[in-house]
Amino acid sequence: MKIKSIVLLLLLLVGSVSCVSTKSTLKNVNNSAPIPKLTATNTFVITEYSKDPKYGYNQDYPINVFYRNAKDETINPQRYLNALTGPKGEKLFFKKIEICCPFPTKNSEMGGGFLDIYEVTWVGQKSPIKLYLNIYEKGELMVPIGFELAK
C-alpha cells in the first residue's frame, strides 16, 4: 500500500513537470528590475502606468510580482492589487480564480511555474476583469490600462 502511494506521487510529480514548456513565452520578465518597495500600508510603491494594452491582460505579458519564499506566494499579489483602484478611484475586490499557462523558471524548486489569474471587480463595474499575475519572475510593476493608483 505504501509503495503504491509513493509510485503514484512520483508519477504525479513527473507528469506535472513534463507539462512545463521548455521555452518561456513570457515577454516582460526583467531580472534586473528592483525589488518593489512597500508603503506604510504594506502595498507596493508603483509609479508608472503601462501603455501596453496587453500588460496584465495577456498570459504572455503578466504582472510579475516576484517571489522570494513561500510567504510571498499570496502576499505579493495582494500588495500589488491593493495599490490599485478602479478608473474613478473605486476600491477593488479581487480573488484568485485559477492557475494556468505553465512556463520554465529558475525561481522554483520544480523548475517551472504557473500564472495566477485574478478576477478583479469594483462597485458599479459592468463585468469582472481578469488579470494574469506571475509570482515567480521580476519585472517593472506598473498600473494596467483601466486602473488607477490608490491614494
Side-chain angles (χ1 to χ4, degrees):
M1 182 76 155
K2 193 172 189 176
I3 292 175
K4 283 184 181 180
S5 297
I6 292 171
V7 169
L8 181 61
L9 179 62
L10 288 173
L11 287 174
L12 284 172
L13 286 173
V14 168
S16 66
V17 171
S18 67
C19 291
V20 177
S21 171
T22 57
K23 186 174 187 314
S24 179
T25 62
L26 304 179
K27 309 287 187 223
N28 60 344
V29 172
N30 180 353
N31 290 320
S32 63
I35 294 173
K37 294 181 180 172
L38 295 174
T39 66
T41 58
N42 203 31
T43 63
F44 284 140
V45 174
I46 304 171
T47 58
E48 295 182 46
Y49 285 77
S50 176
K51 294 179 179 116
D52 186 345
K54 294 179 183 178
Y55 180 75
Y57 293 95
N58 181 292
Q59 67 189 29
D60 291 334
Y61 297 86
I63 299 158
N64 299 309
V65 296
F66 192 53
Y67 174 87
R68 260 193 270 194
N69 56 47
K71 72 178 182 166
D72 294 336
E73 183 174 337
T74 57
I75 191 118
N76 280 354
Q78 291 172 4
R79 288 171 172 163
Y80 175 78
L81 292 166
N82 284 329
L84 305 176
T85 68
K88 296 179 183 172
E90 301 94 340
K91 176 179 174 40
L92 297 184
F93 302 94
F94 53 87
K95 64 181 175 182
K96 182 175 162 181
I97 57 171
E98 62 183 291
I99 60 171
C100 76
C101 322
F103 61 92
T105 180
K106 295 177 184 173
N107 299 324
S108 166
E109 291 176 7
M110 288 182 34
F114 292 92
L115 299 179
D116 295 331
I117 301 176
Y118 278 79
E119 182 178 79
V120 183
T121 60
W122 56 83
V123 174
Q125 179 187 29
K126 291 183 181 176
S127 59
I129 292 174
K130 290 182 181 178
L131 291 177
Y132 292 86
L133 275 70
N134 177 359
I135 63 166
Y136 297 99
E137 307 295 345
K138 288 171 61 178
E140 289 79 16
L141 290 181
M142 296 181 277
V143 178
I145 292 174
F147 291 86
E148 290 294 326
L149 279 173
K151 304 275 185 227

